[in-house]
């Protein structure tokens, strides 16, 4: 009768180790180095994720290329977007898309800031912007444009419904600070006034008041 061959213990001992066995037999120093590399990779991954989140949440003024500008007039501008034309003594004159509630300082910043010869006192940097307006920054010694000398008033003292501030609207008869603010709020929510009759959509303004304001305002 043939005898069963005993297991080949030498062959078993020569079987390759798994990754876990190799790591277990590694020296403490080697294990420490592996752990350090893993920590560095995790930290780098975390930094990448944080930078991505910050960049995705950061918005900046957007310049509108001239080839796209022709389509702006027919665009349905939302309450949160303004298109303004910045010209005059700025670094990069052009048409810019800004966030709703932006002020003149934001438009100048979007255009690269003041030019060296700009009359910085010739514009009101704190003035709120309205959709579709043009901002002209004068050079030193140049008189400010009539339409921007008072912000929202014209050379004949009429008030521009699309650019006037609360203080300028408050100069109109029967328009106090409360109604002036409602006009600004309507403009912010709905965009530019396309007709003086749009004032009827402002709470507190009726037909009789509209007729008294009609000769005193422009668009």
């Amino acid at each position: 009768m043939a005898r069963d061959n005993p297991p080949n213990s030498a062959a078993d001992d020569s079987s390759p180790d798994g990754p876990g066995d190799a790591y277990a037999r590694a020296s403490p120093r080697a294990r420490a180095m592996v752990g350090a590399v893993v920590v560095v990779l995790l930290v780098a991954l975390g930094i990448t994720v944080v930078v991505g989140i910050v960049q995705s949440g950061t918005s900046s003024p957007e310049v509108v290329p001239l080839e796209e500008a022709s389509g702006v007039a027919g665009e349905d501008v939302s309450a949160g977007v303004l298109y303004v034309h910045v010209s005059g003594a700025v670094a990069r004159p052009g048409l810019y898309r800004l966030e709703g509630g932006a002020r003149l300082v934001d438009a100048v910043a979007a255009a690269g800031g003041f030019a060296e010869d700009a009359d910085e006192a010739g514009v009101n940097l704190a003035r709120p912007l309205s959709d579709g307006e043009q901002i002209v920054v004068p050079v030193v010694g140049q008189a400010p444009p009539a339409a921007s000398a008072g912000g929202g008033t014209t050379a004949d003292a009429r008030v521009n419904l699309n650019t006037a501030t609360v203080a300028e609207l408050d100069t109109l008869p029967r328009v106090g600070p409360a109604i002036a603010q409602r006009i600004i709020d309507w403009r912010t929510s709905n965009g530019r006034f396309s007709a003086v009759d749009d004032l009827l959509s402002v709470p507190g303004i009726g037909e009789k008041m509209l007729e008294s304001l009609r000769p005193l305002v422009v668009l």
Side-chain angles (χ1 to χ4, degrees):
M1 176 180 295
R3 295 181 180 179
D4 294 333
N5 292 328
N8 190 341
S9 59
D12 293 342
D13 291 341
S14 62
S15 61
D17 294 327
D21 296 332
Y23 180 80
R25 288 205 304 271
S27 65
R29 181 177 180 182
R31 290 198 297 268
M33 292 179 64
V34 173
V37 171
V38 172
V39 170
V40 170
L41 291 176
L42 291 175
V43 170
L45 178 60
I47 292 175
T48 302
V49 172
V50 171
V51 170
I53 293 175
V54 171
Q55 289 180 342
S56 64
T58 303
S59 60
S60 58
E62 180 181 356
V63 62
V64 181
L66 290 179
E67 58 268 22
E68 296 181 11
S70 60
V72 171
E75 182 175 342
D76 183 13
V77 180
S78 65
V81 177
L82 300 175
Y83 287 93
V84 294
H85 179 201
V86 187
S87 61
V90 292
R92 297 188 300 271
L95 179 64
Y96 289 90
R97 183 186 292 114
L98 303 174
E99 295 296 324
R103 294 179 182 270
L104 198 146
V105 65
D106 300 310
V108 172
F114 288 113
E116 292 184 0
D117 58 349
D119 182 5
E120 300 183 18
V123 290
N124 178 9
L125 293 175
R127 178 172 68 80
L129 299 178
S130 62
D131 178 58
E133 72 169 289
Q134 182 183 34
I135 298 164
V136 181
V137 178
V139 299
V140 175
Q142 175 186 359
S148 61
T153 58
T154 62
D156 58 3
R158 288 185 295 172
V159 175
N160 190 317
L161 293 175
N162 289 314
T163 60
T165 63
V166 170
E168 290 162 347
L169 291 168
D170 190 21
T171 63
L172 294 169
R174 302 175 63 186
V175 176
I179 292 182
Q181 185 59 56
R182 292 174 198 163
I183 293 175
I184 298 291
D185 293 341
W186 189 95
R187 192 173 70 197
T188 301
S189 300
N190 299 278
R192 293 175 60 85
F193 285 91
S194 59
V196 176
D197 288 346
D198 289 339
L199 285 172
L200 291 174
S201 301
V202 177
I205 298 181
E207 290 283 356
K208 187 174 181 179
M209 184 174 180
L210 172 65
E211 293 307 316
S212 67
L213 294 175
R214 193 180 296 279
L216 303 176
V217 298
V218 294
L219 302 176

